[in-house]
Amino acid sequence: MSEIDNAVKSYLEARRAFFAIAQKNPDELKGNDNIVGRIGEYLAISYLRSLSRRPKKVGSNSQKGHDLVEGMAQISVKLLTSENIKGRGLRLTEPWTELVLINLDTGSLEYKIGHISKAEFEAARLENPTWSATPIVKKTMLGPKGLIGKYGKVLSRCFEDHVQQAR
C-alpha cells in the first residue's frame, strides 16, 4: 500500500469512527457530513458550558441563521481553519442573537474563539455605518481592530487544553 493509500485509509477510518461517536453523542455532534462544522459547534458548546451556560444543538441539520439555542438565545457558530487560505467563511444570516467565531490552526490545534452578542454587533454598526448587517465572517474579525476583537470577546485556546479540562 502506498503512502497515499495509507493516508486515505486512515482518514476514512477516522471519519467512520467520528460518525460512530457522533451517533452516540447527538447533543454535541449531530449534523450533516460537514465534520469541521460539527467540531466548531462542539467547541462552541464547550466554551459556552465553561460560562455555566447550557446550549443545545438545533433540531434541524440545515437551520437557517443559527446552530445552537439556549432559551431565547439563537447562537450562530462559524469555524474557519488554517486550511482556509483567504480566511473567509460564510455570510452571517438571520436569525441570530449571538455569534461564536472560531479560527482553528489544524497544525497546532490552537484556536481563537470570539463571541459577540447581537447588541454588541449593532453598537459596532452604529460606530461603523458602512459595515454590513450581514457580513461575511472573516478571521480578521478576531483581531484587535476587528468586529469581535474590538466589540466582543476573544480568547486563545488549545484543543489539548480543552481535552484536559474535559477529563
Side-chain angles (χ1 to χ4, degrees):
M1 206 181 269
S2 76
E3 180 180 39
I4 295 171
D5 292 333
N6 283 330
V8 169
K9 183 179 182 218
S10 294
Y11 170 78
L12 292 174
E13 287 171 344
R15 188 175 167 93
R16 181 177 53 211
F18 182 91
F19 285 130
I21 292 167
Q23 197 167 25
K24 292 181 204 170
N25 298 280
D27 291 342
E28 286 89 3
L29 295 173
K30 80 174 178 183
N32 58 26
D33 68 342
N34 179 356
I35 293 177
V36 170
R38 288 193 204 192
I39 291 169
E41 291 167 6
Y42 173 70
L43 292 174
I45 288 169
S46 297
Y47 159 72
L48 293 168
R49 285 180 179 165
S50 77
L51 302 176
S52 299
R53 295 188 52 190
R54 296 288 169 241
K56 296 187 183 321
K57 292 186 70 116
V58 295
S60 168
N61 289 346
S62 59
Q63 174 68 41
K64 185 173 174 148
H66 59 281
D67 308 285
L68 308 174
V69 293
E70 181 187 24
M72 299 300 290
Q74 298 172 312
I75 306 157
S76 179
V77 179
K78 304 291 187 192
L79 176 75
L80 300 172
T81 70
S82 54
E83 296 164 7
N84 180 327
I85 305 300
K86 292 185 179 181
R88 296 167 48 110
L90 298 173
R91 189 169 294 281
L92 185 60
T93 58
E94 295 290 342
W96 66 278
T97 60
E98 298 176 53
L99 168 63
V100 175
L101 171 59
I102 302 164
N103 186 31
L104 172 66
D105 182 318
T106 56
S108 68
L109 301 184
E110 293 177 357
Y111 59 97
K112 285 190 176 184
I113 186 163
H115 186 197
I116 191 167
S117 70
K118 185 73 163 266
E120 292 167 324
F121 176 79
E122 292 302 337
R125 289 194 60 238
L126 281 175
E127 286 186 32
N128 303 277
T130 60
W131 286 6
S132 172
T134 58
I136 293 172
V137 177
K138 303 173 194 139
K139 70 179 179 182
T140 58
M141 290 178 164
L142 299 172
K145 294 180 182 177
L147 170 67
I148 301 171
K150 189 170 179 182
Y151 298 95
K153 178 167 59 171
V154 177
L155 303 167
S156 292
R157 302 245 169 130
C158 179
F159 193 76
E160 297 301 326
D161 296 337
H162 166 84
V163 171
Q164 294 296 326
Q165 289 174 354
R167 289 184 182 164

PDB file of all heavy atoms in Angstrom, residues 136-163:
ATOM      1  N   ILE A 136     -19.722  38.876   5.704  1.00  0.00           N
ATOM      2  CA  ILE A 136     -19.042  37.605   5.501  1.00  0.00           C
ATOM      3  C   ILE A 136     -18.092  37.455   6.683  1.00  0.00           C
ATOM      4  O   ILE A 136     -17.335  38.373   7.004  1.00  0.00           O
ATOM      5  CB  ILE A 136     -18.278  37.591   4.164  1.00  0.00           C
ATOM      6  CG1 ILE A 136     -19.277  37.638   3.014  1.00  0.00           C
ATOM      7  CG2 ILE A 136     -17.368  36.374   4.072  1.00  0.00           C
ATOM      8  CD1 ILE A 136     -18.661  37.808   1.646  1.00  0.00           C
ATOM      9  N   VAL A 137     -18.148  36.323   7.354  1.00  0.00           N
ATOM     10  CA  VAL A 137     -17.324  36.096   8.531  1.00  0.00           C
ATOM     11  C   VAL A 137     -15.870  35.898   8.094  1.00  0.00           C
ATOM     12  O   VAL A 137     -15.591  35.139   7.168  1.00  0.00           O
ATOM     13  CB  VAL A 137     -17.855  34.877   9.318  1.00  0.00           C
ATOM     14  CG1 VAL A 137     -16.979  34.566  10.498  1.00  0.00           C
ATOM     15  CG2 VAL A 137     -19.288  35.138   9.770  1.00  0.00           C
ATOM     16  N   LYS A 138     -14.958  36.610   8.774  1.00  0.00           N
ATOM     17  CA  LYS A 138     -13.530  36.561   8.430  1.00  0.00           C
ATOM     18  C   LYS A 138     -12.712  36.427   9.697  1.00  0.00           C
ATOM     19  O   LYS A 138     -13.107  36.919  10.759  1.00  0.00           O
ATOM     20  CB  LYS A 138     -13.106  37.858   7.737  1.00  0.00           C
ATOM     21  CG  LYS A 138     -13.885  38.191   6.509  1.00  0.00           C
ATOM     22  CD  LYS A 138     -13.497  39.576   5.997  1.00  0.00           C
ATOM     23  CE  LYS A 138     -14.505  40.027   4.994  1.00  0.00           C
ATOM     24  NZ  LYS A 138     -14.871  41.392   5.094  1.00  0.00           N
ATOM     25  N   LYS A 139     -11.529  35.827   9.570  1.00  0.00           N
ATOM     26  CA  LYS A 139     -10.678  35.683  10.752  1.00  0.00           C
ATOM     27  C   LYS A 139     -10.191  37.036  11.248  1.00  0.00           C
ATOM     28  O   LYS A 139      -9.899  37.184  12.434  1.00  0.00           O
ATOM     29  CB  LYS A 139      -9.528  34.719  10.500  1.00  0.00           C
ATOM     30  CG  LYS A 139      -8.465  35.187   9.569  1.00  0.00           C
ATOM     31  CD  LYS A 139      -7.367  34.137   9.437  1.00  0.00           C
ATOM     32  CE  LYS A 139      -6.291  34.582   8.489  1.00  0.00           C
ATOM     33  NZ  LYS A 139      -5.256  33.565   8.326  1.00  0.00           N
ATOM     34  N   THR A 140     -10.150  38.039  10.394  1.00  0.00           N
ATOM     35  CA  THR A 140      -9.733  39.377  10.835  1.00  0.00           C
ATOM     36  C   THR A 140     -10.701  39.966  11.856  1.00  0.00           C
ATOM     37  O   THR A 140     -10.337  40.882  12.592  1.00  0.00           O
ATOM     38  CB  THR A 140      -9.597  40.337   9.638  1.00  0.00           C
ATOM     39  OG1 THR A 140     -10.844  40.405   8.933  1.00  0.00           O
ATOM     40  CG2 THR A 140      -8.481  39.901   8.697  1.00  0.00           C
ATOM     41  N   MET A 141     -11.917  39.434  11.927  1.00  0.00           N
ATOM     42  CA  MET A 141     -12.876  39.901  12.929  1.00  0.00           C
ATOM     43  C   MET A 141     -12.372  39.651  14.348  1.00  0.00           C
ATOM     44  O   MET A 141     -12.829  40.291  15.292  1.00  0.00           O
ATOM     45  CB  MET A 141     -14.233  39.202  12.751  1.00  0.00           C
ATOM     46  CG  MET A 141     -14.991  39.607  11.536  1.00  0.00           C
ATOM     47  SD  MET A 141     -16.533  38.659  11.441  1.00  0.00           S
ATOM     48  CE  MET A 141     -17.438  39.620  10.257  1.00  0.00           C
ATOM     49  N   LEU A 142     -11.435  38.702  14.498  1.00  0.00           N
ATOM     50  CA  LEU A 142     -10.915  38.352  15.818  1.00  0.00           C
ATOM     51  C   LEU A 142      -9.731  39.221  16.235  1.00  0.00           C
ATOM     52  O   LEU A 142      -9.299  39.164  17.391  1.00  0.00           O
ATOM     53  CB  LEU A 142     -10.501  36.877  15.838  1.00  0.00           C
ATOM     54  CG  LEU A 142     -11.627  35.876  15.566  1.00  0.00           C
ATOM     55  CD1 LEU A 142     -11.065  34.473  15.407  1.00  0.00           C
ATOM     56  CD2 LEU A 142     -12.680  35.935  16.653  1.00  0.00           C
ATOM     57  N   GLY A 143      -9.212  40.016  15.313  1.00  0.00           N
ATOM     58  CA  GLY A 143      -8.068  40.882  15.616  1.00  0.00           C
ATOM     59  C   GLY A 143      -8.480  42.062  16.482  1.00  0.00           C
ATOM     60  O   GLY A 143      -9.665  42.351  16.649  1.00  0.00           O
ATOM     61  N   PRO A 144      -7.500  42.798  17.039  1.00  0.00           N
ATOM     62  CA  PRO A 144      -7.800  43.907  17.952  1.00  0.00           C
ATOM     63  C   PRO A 144      -8.646  45.022  17.329  1.00  0.00           C
ATOM     64  O   PRO A 144      -9.371  45.706  18.030  1.00  0.00           O
ATOM     65  CB  PRO A 144      -6.433  44.429  18.380  1.00  0.00           C
ATOM     66  CG  PRO A 144      -5.431  43.771  17.506  1.00  0.00           C
ATOM     67  CD  PRO A 144      -6.076  42.586  16.853  1.00  0.00           C
ATOM     68  N   LYS A 145      -8.564  45.178  16.008  1.00  0.00           N
ATOM     69  CA  LYS A 145      -9.371  46.204  15.333  1.00  0.00           C
ATOM     70  C   LYS A 145     -10.593  45.605  14.638  1.00  0.00           C
ATOM     71  O   LYS A 145     -11.363  46.318  14.012  1.00  0.00           O
ATOM     72  CB  LYS A 145      -8.518  46.951  14.308  1.00  0.00           C
ATOM     73  CG  LYS A 145      -7.407  47.759  14.937  1.00  0.00           C
ATOM     74  CD  LYS A 145      -6.600  48.474  13.882  1.00  0.00           C
ATOM     75  CE  LYS A 145      -5.458  49.249  14.521  1.00  0.00           C
ATOM     76  NZ  LYS A 145      -4.608  49.897  13.524  1.00  0.00           N
ATOM     77  N   GLY A 146     -10.763  44.307  14.757  1.00  0.00           N
ATOM     78  CA  GLY A 146     -11.871  43.633  14.103  1.00  0.00           C
ATOM     79  C   GLY A 146     -13.164  43.723  14.895  1.00  0.00           C
ATOM     80  O   GLY A 146     -13.172  44.126  16.067  1.00  0.00           O
ATOM     81  N   LEU A 147     -14.240  43.345  14.266  1.00  0.00           N
ATOM     82  CA  LEU A 147     -15.572  43.407  14.870  1.00  0.00           C
ATOM     83  C   LEU A 147     -15.601  42.769  16.256  1.00  0.00           C
ATOM     84  O   LEU A 147     -15.995  43.392  17.244  1.00  0.00           O
ATOM     85  CB  LEU A 147     -16.591  42.721  13.949  1.00  0.00           C
ATOM     86  CG  LEU A 147     -17.978  42.488  14.543  1.00  0.00           C
ATOM     87  CD1 LEU A 147     -18.685  43.806  14.789  1.00  0.00           C
ATOM     88  CD2 LEU A 147     -18.799  41.603  13.647  1.00  0.00           C
ATOM     89  N   ILE A 148     -15.183  41.519  16.355  1.00  0.00           N
ATOM     90  CA  ILE A 148     -15.280  40.817  17.640  1.00  0.00           C
ATOM     91  C   ILE A 148     -14.141  41.225  18.564  1.00  0.00           C
ATOM     92  O   ILE A 148     -14.341  41.386  19.775  1.00  0.00           O
ATOM     93  CB  ILE A 148     -15.317  39.289  17.423  1.00  0.00           C
ATOM     94  CG1 ILE A 148     -16.520  38.928  16.542  1.00  0.00           C
ATOM     95  CG2 ILE A 148     -15.393  38.551  18.753  1.00  0.00           C
ATOM     96  CD1 ILE A 148     -16.557  37.480  16.085  1.00  0.00           C
ATOM     97  N   GLY A 149     -12.942  41.422  18.014  1.00  0.00           N
ATOM     98  CA  GLY A 149     -11.815  41.843  18.828  1.00  0.00           C
ATOM     99  C   GLY A 149     -12.045  43.165  19.527  1.00  0.00           C
ATOM    100  O   GLY A 149     -11.617  43.369  20.661  1.00  0.00           O
ATOM    101  N   LYS A 150     -12.743  44.071  18.863  1.00  0.00           N
ATOM    102  CA  LYS A 150     -12.980  45.411  19.413  1.00  0.00           C
ATOM    103  C   LYS A 150     -14.284  45.501  20.204  1.00  0.00           C
ATOM    104  O   LYS A 150     -14.349  46.207  21.207  1.00  0.00           O
ATOM    105  CB  LYS A 150     -13.000  46.421  18.268  1.00  0.00           C
ATOM    106  CG  LYS A 150     -13.031  47.858  18.723  1.00  0.00           C
ATOM    107  CD  LYS A 150     -12.816  48.819  17.577  1.00  0.00           C
ATOM    108  CE  LYS A 150     -12.866  50.254  18.065  1.00  0.00           C
ATOM    109  NZ  LYS A 150     -12.704  51.198  16.969  1.00  0.00           N
ATOM    110  N   TYR A 151     -15.310  44.768  19.775  1.00  0.00           N
ATOM    111  CA  TYR A 151     -16.631  44.943  20.386  1.00  0.00           C
ATOM    112  C   TYR A 151     -17.129  43.728  21.166  1.00  0.00           C
ATOM    113  O   TYR A 151     -18.112  43.822  21.890  1.00  0.00           O
ATOM    114  CB  TYR A 151     -17.656  45.306  19.301  1.00  0.00           C
ATOM    115  CG  TYR A 151     -17.338  46.609  18.623  1.00  0.00           C
ATOM    116  CD1 TYR A 151     -16.619  46.638  17.437  1.00  0.00           C
ATOM    117  CD2 TYR A 151     -17.725  47.811  19.187  1.00  0.00           C
ATOM    118  CE1 TYR A 151     -16.314  47.841  16.817  1.00  0.00           C
ATOM    119  CE2 TYR A 151     -17.422  49.020  18.578  1.00  0.00           C
ATOM    120  CZ  TYR A 151     -16.712  49.031  17.394  1.00  0.00           C
ATOM    121  OH  TYR A 151     -16.408  50.227  16.794  1.00  0.00           O
ATOM    122  N   GLY A 152     -16.482  42.586  20.999  1.00  0.00           N
ATOM    123  CA  GLY A 152     -16.894  41.377  21.701  1.00  0.00           C
ATOM    124  C   GLY A 152     -15.775  40.880  22.592  1.00  0.00           C
ATOM    125  O   GLY A 152     -15.053  41.666  23.207  1.00  0.00           O
ATOM    126  N   LYS A 153     -15.601  39.569  22.627  1.00  0.00           N
ATOM    127  CA  LYS A 153     -14.576  38.953  23.461  1.00  0.00           C
ATOM    128  C   LYS A 153     -13.852  37.906  22.634  1.00  0.00           C
ATOM    129  O   LYS A 153     -14.485  37.136  21.905  1.00  0.00           O
ATOM    130  CB  LYS A 153     -15.247  38.301  24.680  1.00  0.00           C
ATOM    131  CG  LYS A 153     -14.279  37.578  25.592  1.00  0.00           C
ATOM    132  CD  LYS A 153     -14.854  37.209  26.949  1.00  0.00           C
ATOM    133  CE  LYS A 153     -16.058  36.327  26.892  1.00  0.00           C
ATOM    134  NZ  LYS A 153     -16.481  35.797  28.189  1.00  0.00           N
ATOM    135  N   VAL A 154     -12.509  37.850  22.746  1.00  0.00           N
ATOM    136  CA  VAL A 154     -11.695  36.864  22.033  1.00  0.00           C
ATOM    137  C   VAL A 154     -10.786  36.172  23.041  1.00  0.00           C
ATOM    138  O   VAL A 154     -10.136  36.827  23.858  1.00  0.00           O
ATOM    139  CB  VAL A 154     -10.841  37.515  20.923  1.00  0.00           C
ATOM    140  CG1 VAL A 154      -9.960  36.476  20.244  1.00  0.00           C
ATOM    141  CG2 VAL A 154     -11.723  38.221  19.896  1.00  0.00           C
ATOM    142  N   LEU A 155     -10.767  34.847  22.976  1.00  0.00           N
ATOM    143  CA  LEU A 155      -9.905  34.041  23.832  1.00  0.00           C
ATOM    144  C   LEU A 155      -9.041  33.143  22.970  1.00  0.00           C
ATOM    145  O   LEU A 155      -9.475  32.697  21.915  1.00  0.00           O
ATOM    146  CB  LEU A 155     -10.751  33.161  24.755  1.00  0.00           C
ATOM    147  CG  LEU A 155     -11.745  33.869  25.665  1.00  0.00           C
ATOM    148  CD1 LEU A 155     -12.704  32.866  26.265  1.00  0.00           C
ATOM    149  CD2 LEU A 155     -11.009  34.616  26.756  1.00  0.00           C
ATOM    150  N   SER A 156      -7.844  32.855  23.445  1.00  0.00           N
ATOM    151  CA  SER A 156      -6.987  31.877  22.775  1.00  0.00           C
ATOM    152  C   SER A 156      -7.055  30.580  23.553  1.00  0.00           C
ATOM    153  O   SER A 156      -6.992  30.582  24.782  1.00  0.00           O
ATOM    154  CB  SER A 156      -5.540  32.376  22.725  1.00  0.00           C
ATOM    155  OG  SER A 156      -5.446  33.486  21.877  1.00  0.00           O
ATOM    156  N   ARG A 157      -7.191  29.493  22.826  1.00  0.00           N
ATOM    157  CA  ARG A 157      -7.291  28.175  23.439  1.00  0.00           C
ATOM    158  C   ARG A 157      -6.479  27.175  22.634  1.00  0.00           C
ATOM    159  O   ARG A 157      -6.078  27.440  21.517  1.00  0.00           O
ATOM    160  CB  ARG A 157      -8.755  27.707  23.460  1.00  0.00           C
ATOM    161  CG  ARG A 157      -9.711  28.632  24.203  1.00  0.00           C
ATOM    162  CD  ARG A 157     -10.260  27.934  25.388  1.00  0.00           C
ATOM    163  NE  ARG A 157     -10.964  28.841  26.267  1.00  0.00           N
ATOM    164  CZ  ARG A 157     -12.167  28.633  26.724  1.00  0.00           C
ATOM    165  NH1 ARG A 157     -12.845  27.577  26.358  1.00  0.00           N
ATOM    166  NH2 ARG A 157     -12.719  29.465  27.576  1.00  0.00           N
ATOM    167  N   CYS A 158      -6.295  26.005  23.209  1.00  0.00           N
ATOM    168  CA  CYS A 158      -5.639  24.898  22.523  1.00  0.00           C
ATOM    169  C   CYS A 158      -6.495  23.665  22.735  1.00  0.00           C
ATOM    170  O   CYS A 158      -7.024  23.443  23.838  1.00  0.00           O
ATOM    171  CB  CYS A 158      -4.237  24.675  23.079  1.00  0.00           C
ATOM    172  SG  CYS A 158      -3.371  23.304  22.288  1.00  0.00           S
ATOM    173  N   PHE A 159      -6.671  22.868  21.702  1.00  0.00           N
ATOM    174  CA  PHE A 159      -7.521  21.693  21.827  1.00  0.00           C
ATOM    175  C   PHE A 159      -6.989  20.748  22.896  1.00  0.00           C
ATOM    176  O   PHE A 159      -7.769  20.118  23.603  1.00  0.00           O
ATOM    177  CB  PHE A 159      -7.681  20.971  20.487  1.00  0.00           C
ATOM    178  CG  PHE A 159      -8.783  19.954  20.529  1.00  0.00           C
ATOM    179  CD1 PHE A 159     -10.103  20.352  20.487  1.00  0.00           C
ATOM    180  CD2 PHE A 159      -8.500  18.610  20.651  1.00  0.00           C
ATOM    181  CE1 PHE A 159     -11.134  19.425  20.553  1.00  0.00           C
ATOM    182  CE2 PHE A 159      -9.520  17.670  20.721  1.00  0.00           C
ATOM    183  CZ  PHE A 159     -10.834  18.085  20.666  1.00  0.00           C
ATOM    184  N   GLU A 160      -5.680  20.679  23.056  1.00  0.00           N
ATOM    185  CA  GLU A 160      -5.109  19.811  24.094  1.00  0.00           C
ATOM    186  C   GLU A 160      -5.568  20.265  25.480  1.00  0.00           C
ATOM    187  O   GLU A 160      -5.885  19.440  26.335  1.00  0.00           O
ATOM    188  CB  GLU A 160      -3.581  19.793  24.009  1.00  0.00           C
ATOM    189  CG  GLU A 160      -3.052  19.217  22.721  1.00  0.00           C
ATOM    190  CD  GLU A 160      -3.495  17.779  22.464  1.00  0.00           C
ATOM    191  OE1 GLU A 160      -3.635  16.996  23.406  1.00  0.00           O
ATOM    192  OE2 GLU A 160      -3.707  17.441  21.278  1.00  0.00           O
ATOM    193  N   ASP A 161      -5.628  21.590  25.720  1.00  0.00           N
ATOM    194  CA  ASP A 161      -6.129  22.098  26.996  1.00  0.00           C
ATOM    195  C   ASP A 161      -7.594  21.758  27.169  1.00  0.00           C
ATOM    196  O   ASP A 161      -8.061  21.426  28.260  1.00  0.00           O
ATOM    197  CB  ASP A 161      -5.937  23.620  27.082  1.00  0.00           C
ATOM    198  CG  ASP A 161      -4.482  24.025  27.081  1.00  0.00           C
ATOM    199  OD1 ASP A 161      -3.622  23.185  27.453  1.00  0.00           O
ATOM    200  OD2 ASP A 161      -4.195  25.176  26.701  1.00  0.00           O
ATOM    201  N   HIS A 162      -8.340  21.847  26.068  1.00  0.00           N
ATOM    202  CA  HIS A 162      -9.761  21.512  26.086  1.00  0.00           C
ATOM    203  C   HIS A 162      -9.942  20.058  26.535  1.00  0.00           C
ATOM    204  O   HIS A 162     -10.780  19.752  27.359  1.00  0.00           O
ATOM    205  CB  HIS A 162     -10.364  21.714  24.690  1.00  0.00           C
ATOM    206  CG  HIS A 162     -11.707  21.112  24.507  1.00  0.00           C
ATOM    207  ND1 HIS A 162     -12.847  21.761  24.888  1.00  0.00           N
ATOM    208  CD2 HIS A 162     -12.091  19.910  24.039  1.00  0.00           C
ATOM    209  CE1 HIS A 162     -13.883  20.989  24.644  1.00  0.00           C
ATOM    210  NE2 HIS A 162     -13.445  19.852  24.116  1.00  0.00           N
ATOM    211  N   VAL A 163      -9.123  19.164  26.004  1.00  0.00           N
ATOM    212  CA  VAL A 163      -9.215  17.739  26.343  1.00  0.00           C
ATOM    213  C   VAL A 163      -8.886  17.540  27.824  1.00  0.00           C
ATOM    214  O   VAL A 163      -9.567  16.788  28.518  1.00  0.00           O
ATOM    215  CB  VAL A 163      -8.258  16.894  25.452  1.00  0.00           C
ATOM    216  CG1 VAL A 163      -8.173  15.460  25.933  1.00  0.00           C
ATOM    217  CG2 VAL A 163      -8.729  16.954  24.011  1.00  0.00           C
TER     218      VAL A 163
END
